[in-house]
Amino acid sequence: MRLLSGVRPTGKPHIGNYVGALRNWKSLQDEGHECFFFVADWHALTTAYEDTKQLQQNTVEVMRAFLACGLDPNKSVLFVQSGVKEHAELALLFSMIVPLPWLERVPTYKEMKQQLSDKDLSNTGFLLYPVLQAADILIYLAEGVPVGEDQVYHVELTREIARRFNYLYGQTFPEPEVILSIVPKLPGTDGRKMSKSYGNIIPLENTSEELEKSILPMVTDPARKRRTDPGDPNKCPVWDYHRAFGISEDEKQWVFEGCTKAKIGCIDCKKLLLKNMKRELEPIWERYSKIDEHFTKDVIEEGNRKAKSVAEQTMKLVRERMNLLF
C-alpha cells in the first residue's frame, strides 16, 4: 500500500511521539509499504502562529527523530510539508467544494478550542485544518493513513472530500483507509497527559542517566503510600510504560503479583521498566549521536524533491479535471 502520515513540529520529539507514531511507521516501512512521512510545519501554525521562533529548528529536530528511529530515506520519502507548495494549492481547491458544516462538526475542532482556551483559535487556518490534512493525504494518492484513534474522524472526512471531488469531476482520488495504531497512551511522568506545558515529558533523544532521573521519581498507584501497601498496576502510570516497552509474560506476572500482594516496591518495578526501555531506546540514542543538522537538511531536500515530483503529477491531473487554464 501507499501510506502517508505526518507529525507537527511543536517541540523536540518525546517518548510519546515514538510509541504513538514513529515506532509503528518503521514497522510499516520494513514491511515493504510505499511510505511518505512528513513534518507538518504548516499544521503547527494552526495553533502556534503567534510564536514561530523555534519552528525551523523544531522541524529539523523532528526529521532527526525520524532518522534516529530507523526511518530510511532510501525506503521512505521523508519530507517537510512547506517544501511542497502543491499541498497548499490542493487545499485551496478542496476548500471550494467542502461545505462549512463538514468542518464545524469535526469533534476535535470543539475539543481543541476547549483544551486551548488560553489561545485565540478564531483563525481560519484552524477551521480549515482538516482540509489541508485531506490535501496532504490525497495529493500522494495514499491508500492508507497510519493514525491514532483521535485522528480517525479526520481520515473519514478525507474520504468524504475524495468522494465529493470524484463525483463532481470524475474519478481522481482513492478513498484512503485508516491504519489504526493501537498503542497505550503514555501519560507524563506525573500521571497527567504528557505535555511540554506540564513539564512532564521524557525526551526521545536522551541518555541512560537522564532516563533514570525521569522514571525513578514517577508517580504510581496512589494507594501505595508505603511499600507494604498493596496496589493495582492498572491504576499506575508506570504500567502503561511497561505495556509500551515489551514486558514479557513472566515479568508481567512478577509485577502483578508483586504489586497486588506488596511483595515488591515501586522502585523495583521501575528498575524493570528501565531495563526494557533502555534495551529498545539505546540503539536510537546511538543513531542520534551520528545524525547532524547538515545531514538532516540534505535528507529533507532530497525528500522534498521526491515528494514534489509525485505531487506535481497529481496536481496536473486535478487541474485537468477541474478545467483550469493553468
Side-chain angles (χ1 to χ4, degrees), residues 59-73:
T59 298
V60 172
E61 288 299 330
V62 171
M63 185 59 72
R64 281 188 72 227
F66 284 8
L67 298 170
C69 290
L71 297 182
D72 185 343

Side-chain angles (χ1 to χ4, degrees), residues 15 52 69 80 97 100 204 307 310:
I15 292 291
T52 61
C69 290
V80 173
I97 67 169
L100 188 58
L204 181 57
V310 177

Side-chain angles (χ1 to χ4, degrees), residues 8-9 39-47 55 81-89 129 132 136:
R8 296 198 310 161
V39 185
D41 54 344
W42 279 341
H43 282 301
L45 296 174
T46 58
T47 57
L55 182 56
Q81 184 183 33
S82 63
V84 186
K85 308 305 181 188
E86 287 77 8
H87 286 234
E89 182 182 1
Y129 182 105
L132 178 57
D136 297 332

Side-chain angles (χ1 to χ4, degrees), residues 15-86:
I15 292 291
N17 301 133
Y18 170 68
V19 170
L22 301 182
R23 182 169 62 183
N24 185 46
W25 292 3
K26 183 182 185 300
S27 297
L28 293 168
Q29 168 194 267
D30 294 347
E31 289 169 10
H33 296 288
E34 185 182 5
C35 297
F36 289 72
F37 298 128
F38 70 103
V39 185
D41 54 344
W42 279 341
H43 282 301
L45 296 174
T46 58
T47 57
Y49 58 85
E50 76 285 359
D51 184 5
T52 61
K53 291 190 292 293
Q54 295 298 314
L55 182 56
Q56 287 189 19
Q57 189 59 42
N58 287 344
T59 298
V60 172
E61 288 299 330
V62 171
M63 185 59 72
R64 281 188 72 227
F66 284 8
L67 298 170
C69 290
L71 297 182
D72 185 343
N74 295 312
K75 295 179 180 179
S76 299
V77 179
L78 310 177
F79 66 101
V80 173
Q81 184 183 33
S82 63
V84 186
K85 308 305 181 188
E86 287 77 8

